[in-house]
Amino acid sequence: MAKLYFRYGVVSSAKTLNLLATLHNYEQQGKRAVLIKPATDTRSINVESRAGLSHKPDIVLANADNLPILLYPYKQSGVSAILVDEVQFISSEQIEYLRQISALNDIPVLCYGLRTKSDATLWPSIITLMALADSIEEIKTTCAYCNHKAVFSKLINKDNLGEDGIKLSWDEYVPVCAKHFYEN
């Protein structure tokens, strides 16, 4: 049976770079992987890493979208994997469907994203993903201010926050250890 994977890390931990490398490996082997990006991520029309790699998503997913309908043509034509970038922005119901896809259709689903918000609380969809995932893996990086492991994404400019309390410009967040998270 295929697995549902959650690969998480703080901002700037190379999550998207890892996703794009995984996608490249599937393509190099002649396998079809479906790339999903949440519509909430408006930084680019593509899935882009800070290292400069980029790929056009197959599906740009809004929270109200019916994922079974969007994935139906891919399932019919044969798909080897489903990769989701910025998974924290999709709905819990969509994550539950991805769990079903991996279990019932034997298609691995690899989700990449943030575990916590900048206030150190879990995203609602991540609570669901952590409960349902077969494998939870941390993508590690170091604190922006010292050499300790970063465990939080700290918002450094709190001006002009969106309605949901987040900014979609990752340049305003830094990876920090617990000490630097609590220091001003």
Side-chain angles (χ1 to χ4, degrees), residues 65-98:
D65 285 346
N66 187 324
L67 189 53
I69 290 173
L70 293 174
L71 280 174
Y72 181 79
Y74 297 102
K75 285 174 30 185
Q76 296 306 318
S77 64
V79 61
S80 296
I82 297 170
L83 290 88
V84 183
D85 192 38
E86 301 292 357
V87 69
Q88 70 273 6
F89 294 129
I90 72 172
S91 73
S92 292
E93 293 79 18
Q94 290 164 336
I95 288 172
E96 288 175 18
Y97 181 70
L98 292 170

Side-chain angles (χ1 to χ4, degrees), residues 116-142:
T116 59
K117 300 179 195 177
S118 62
D119 64 0
T121 60
L122 292 169
W123 297 84
S125 57
I126 297 305
I127 294 169
T128 302
L129 182 55
M130 290 184 77
L132 297 177
D134 295 300
S135 175
I136 300 172
E137 305 166 18
E138 182 178 18
I139 299 170
K140 298 175 180 134
T141 194
T142 57

Side-chain angles (χ1 to χ4, degrees), residues 22-93:
T22 300
L23 177 64
H24 175 76
N25 289 340
Y26 275 102
E27 291 175 342
Q28 285 296 106
Q29 296 171 7
K31 298 175 182 172
R32 177 73 170 104
V34 176
L35 179 57
I36 298 174
K37 167 191 167 129
T40 309
D41 181 4
T42 57
R43 295 171 292 166
S44 169
I45 59 170
N46 291 325
V47 172
E48 291 185 357
S49 76
R50 287 185 183 83
L53 295 179
S54 177
H55 200 286
K56 182 178 183 228
D58 297 295
I59 297 172
V60 177
L61 186 64
N63 279 341
D65 285 346
N66 187 324
L67 189 53
I69 290 173
L70 293 174
L71 280 174
Y72 181 79
Y74 297 102
K75 285 174 30 185
Q76 296 306 318
S77 64
V79 61
S80 296
I82 297 170
L83 290 88
V84 183
D85 192 38
E86 301 292 357
V87 69
Q88 70 273 6
F89 294 129
I90 72 172
S91 73
S92 292
E93 293 79 18

